[in-house]
Amino acid sequence: MADPDGHGGGTAELTGVELAPELTRYLPYLMRRAFAYVSSKADRSTQARDYAVLAGLADGHRTSQQALAERLEINRTIMVKLIDRLQAEGYVTRTRNPDNRRSYVLSLTDAGRAALTRMQSSVLERDRLLTANLTPAERTRLNELLRTVLGEPDKTPSTVGTEYLITQVFYLLRRRGDALVSDKGMRVRDFGALSAIGKLGPCPQQQFARYLALTEPTAALIVDDFVDKGLVTRGQDPDDRRRYALELTGLGRERLVYLTDAMDRLQAEIVETFGGPRAEAELHTLIHKVLAAPVAAGAGPAH
């Protein structure tokens, strides 16, 4: 099955289209769409992640490689390769931790500080373009809310941008959601697709793809996977016998109930993180505004 999360250079989800409100009311699904938006406009260089790592070391405090990986929500294996490269470029030094010889302590070099300064203007400009529909105050508030979802917001470097924060919140919620549903062999990303077929079915595959704003090849791969797992049947469309009509099986309906319960629990955890629904609703509003059609030239907020 293709990766609808868009890893490796693109996204299988269409952007700039109206999204189903019954799905986007769940922050994990909405953040998935925000990640698709960021990915569609992503800087294909390593600069965004390099910047986050260098910014994380810029406070002058020596930190372990493992602690920085956890702090920045970066996979440990990826972090090892990332630090290897940054060390080779002379931006970071890595030495054995005297208190724990199995771990490394990282420090930023003078060359690393210079590189961080060079990167900063580029990162800020990209964030300005990605959040063109927001005022500066809204952009600041969005970043504050995203940091809250990540937890311990004061430990996330203050200089990392919206693009990085959206990506890390998506990864965090995906991991937490997957952990809730893994015992049934499901992924949290299955929720939207099963919900769509449950709502629309029996429906043609093209309608399913449009509802979820997916490319048709991606929709076909998702349906193939569901059919193989016994969650969906491909019947014949009574209005056009050349087309399939998708419908949930009994097992598919059971799994949808299971996934919906998990999403409700994850959503409740997020609201608890914010201390109530008000800030969570504010984050929804700002993400929707980011995802809205770009403002016309000269008509956007002043920057």
Side-chain angles (χ1 to χ4, degrees), residues 2-13 32 35-36 39-40 42 44 170-171 174 189:
D3 182 3
D5 296 338
H7 302 303
T11 177
E13 304 190 34
R32 178 187 183 83
F35 174 74
S39 296
S40 71
R44 299 303 172 200
F170 162 72
Y171 287 147
R174 185 180 65 176
R189 71 186 184 195

Side-chain angles (χ1 to χ4, degrees), residues 116-133:
L116 180 63
T117 300
R118 292 194 301 271
M119 292 177 187
Q120 188 164 12
S121 61
S122 174
V123 169
L124 292 176
E125 176 61 15
R126 282 186 47 72
D127 271 3
R128 188 188 71 78
L129 295 174
L130 286 167
T131 59
N133 287 333

Side-chain angles (χ1 to χ4, degrees), residues 24-186:
T24 57
R25 73 184 183 88
Y26 292 99
L27 188 62
Y29 183 85
L30 183 61
M31 291 309 303
R32 178 187 183 83
R33 298 303 315 198
F35 174 74
Y37 169 75
V38 166
S39 296
S40 71
K41 304 177 184 302
D43 178 357
R44 299 303 172 200
S45 74
T46 60
Q47 186 180 69
R49 185 166 278 173
D50 289 358
Y51 178 79
V53 170
L54 296 180
L57 296 173
D59 57 12
H61 298 295
R62 289 159 62 87
T63 184
S64 73
Q65 186 170 294
Q66 179 178 334
L68 186 63
E70 292 173 353
R71 180 179 170 190
L72 296 178
E73 292 287 341
I74 296 175
N75 176 277
R76 291 182 187 180
T77 301
I78 293 174
M79 179 61 88
V80 170
K81 295 178 181 178
L82 180 56
I83 296 301
D84 282 346
R85 182 171 49 77
L86 292 176
Q87 185 176 27
E89 292 175 359
Y91 297 161
V92 170
T93 59
R94 177 167 54 185
T95 57
R96 289 287 183 182
N97 186 343
D99 299 323
N100 181 358
R101 300 294 297 174
R102 293 176 298 177
S103 67
Y104 290 98
V105 172
L106 305 176
S107 301
L108 191 64
T109 66
D110 289 341
R113 292 185 186 281
L116 180 63
T117 300
R118 292 194 301 271
M119 292 177 187
Q120 188 164 12
S121 61
S122 174
V123 169
L124 292 176
E125 176 61 15
R126 282 186 47 72
D127 271 3
R128 188 188 71 78
L129 295 174
L130 286 167
T131 59
N133 287 333
L134 302 184
T135 65
E138 287 174 330
R139 188 181 302 118
T140 298
R141 180 57 176 159
L142 172 60
N143 289 352
E144 290 173 353
L145 293 168
L146 292 170
R147 290 173 191 278
T148 299
V149 178
L150 287 174
E152 299 184 308
D154 292 342
K155 292 188 177 181
T156 305
S158 61
T159 49
V160 299
T162 306
E163 176 182 10
Y164 176 83
L165 292 170
I166 284 175
T167 299
Q168 297 311 110
V169 168
F170 162 72
Y171 287 147
L172 174 66
L173 296 183
R174 185 180 65 176
R175 284 197 303 274
R176 288 170 61 183
D178 285 349
L180 289 175
V181 300
S182 61
D183 61 324
K184 298 289 188 183
M186 304 298 292

Side-chain angles (χ1 to χ4, degrees), residues 13-20 24 33 209-214 288 291-293:
E13 304 190 34
L14 305 176
T15 59
V17 297
E18 186 174 354
L19 302 173
T24 57
R33 298 303 315 198
R210 286 196 303 271
Y211 181 80
L212 291 178
L214 297 173
H288 273 292
L291 297 179

